[in-house]
């Protein structure tokens, strides 16, 4: 089965790689599997991404760019705890709408491949937690709460 032929080859490769990575449960995904699902030849993959690792990096980066774009639209309400809840909900909704991509981004498949762009939503979360701490609404240090929150949202969304 191949992806929609109406998409440009580069996008078909990104979608195919994300789908296969998510379904692989950490097993190796071959160039042949990706190109077959995308309905393109191997030289097309190499033309757009250099190699398979370049494609996998592009999948993760594209996912985080989309995720961060949603976070950039976040308008704080002035209530730190409400803002943290809204950020949690936004995160979970992103994962539910695109489960394969989410698994590649936040799963254990490539944990060392988070691009620098992830610093933006992480900083926003820490800012909200610092405000909650300043308002006496947090019982742990903001950095500790941020780590726990990231782990909980990623783990809960993958269930």
């Amino acid at each position: 089965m191949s992806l929609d032929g109406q998409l440009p080859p580069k996008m078909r490769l990104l979608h195919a790689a994300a789908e296969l990575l998510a379904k692989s449960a950490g097993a190796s995904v071959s160039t042949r599997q990706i190109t077959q699902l995308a309905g393109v030849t191997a030289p097309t993959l190499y033309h757009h991404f250099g190699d398979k690792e370049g494609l996998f990096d592009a999948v993760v980066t594209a996912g985080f760019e989309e995720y961060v774009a949603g976070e950039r639209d976040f308008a704080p309400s002035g209530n730190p705890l409400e803002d943290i809840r809204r950020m949690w909900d936004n995160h979970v909704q992103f994962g539910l709408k695109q489960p394969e991509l989410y698994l590649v981004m936040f799963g254990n498949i490539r944990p060392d491949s988070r691009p620098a762009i992830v610093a933006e939503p992480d900083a926003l979360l820490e800012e909200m937690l610092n405000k909650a701490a300043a308002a006496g609404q947090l019982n742990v240090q903001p950095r500790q709460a941020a780590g726990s929150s990231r782990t909980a949202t990623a783990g809960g969304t993958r269930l």
Side-chain angles (χ1 to χ4, degrees):
M1 175 179 147
S2 65
L3 296 173
D4 181 1
Q6 299 299 325
L7 290 174
K10 184 175 183 177
M11 293 305 298
R12 292 197 318 260
L13 284 163
L14 284 167
H15 287 273
E19 180 180 330
L20 291 168
L21 281 169
K23 292 179 179 178
S24 74
S28 179
V29 175
S30 73
T31 301
R32 178 175 287 204
Q33 290 172 295
I34 296 165
T35 56
Q36 187 173 27
L37 182 59
V40 301
T41 61
T44 303
L45 183 152
Y46 301 130
H47 168 75
H48 289 291
F49 301 102
D51 59 16
K52 184 172 66 170
E53 285 304 309
L55 172 59
F56 291 166
D57 290 342
V59 167
V60 172
T61 298
F64 276 112
E65 286 171 352
E66 183 178 340
Y67 174 77
V68 169
E71 292 293 314
R72 286 183 182 137
D73 292 337
F74 185 83
S77 70
N79 179 335
L81 290 181
E82 180 59 30
D83 291 343
I84 292 165
R85 286 183 192 104
R86 287 177 38 225
M87 289 177 70
W88 176 291
D89 290 345
N90 291 344
H91 181 98
V92 172
Q93 285 304 310
F94 179 88
L96 294 176
K97 288 179 183 174
Q98 301 184 75
E100 288 91 8
L101 178 58
Y102 185 89
L103 184 58
V104 172
M105 292 167 57
F106 292 97
N108 293 322
I109 295 171
R110 295 173 51 77
D112 59 337
S113 297
R114 291 178 54 157
I117 195 169
V118 173
E120 285 184 49
D122 285 352
L124 180 59
L125 175 61
E126 288 190 28
E127 178 186 337
M128 294 299 114
L129 290 165
N130 283 327
K131 288 179 181 179
Q137 299 173 321
L138 201 60
N139 293 325
V140 297
Q141 293 297 315
R143 189 167 294 279
Q144 180 184 358
S148 297
S149 178
R150 285 184 203 107
T151 301
T153 54
T157 303
R158 288 192 313 249
L159 291 176

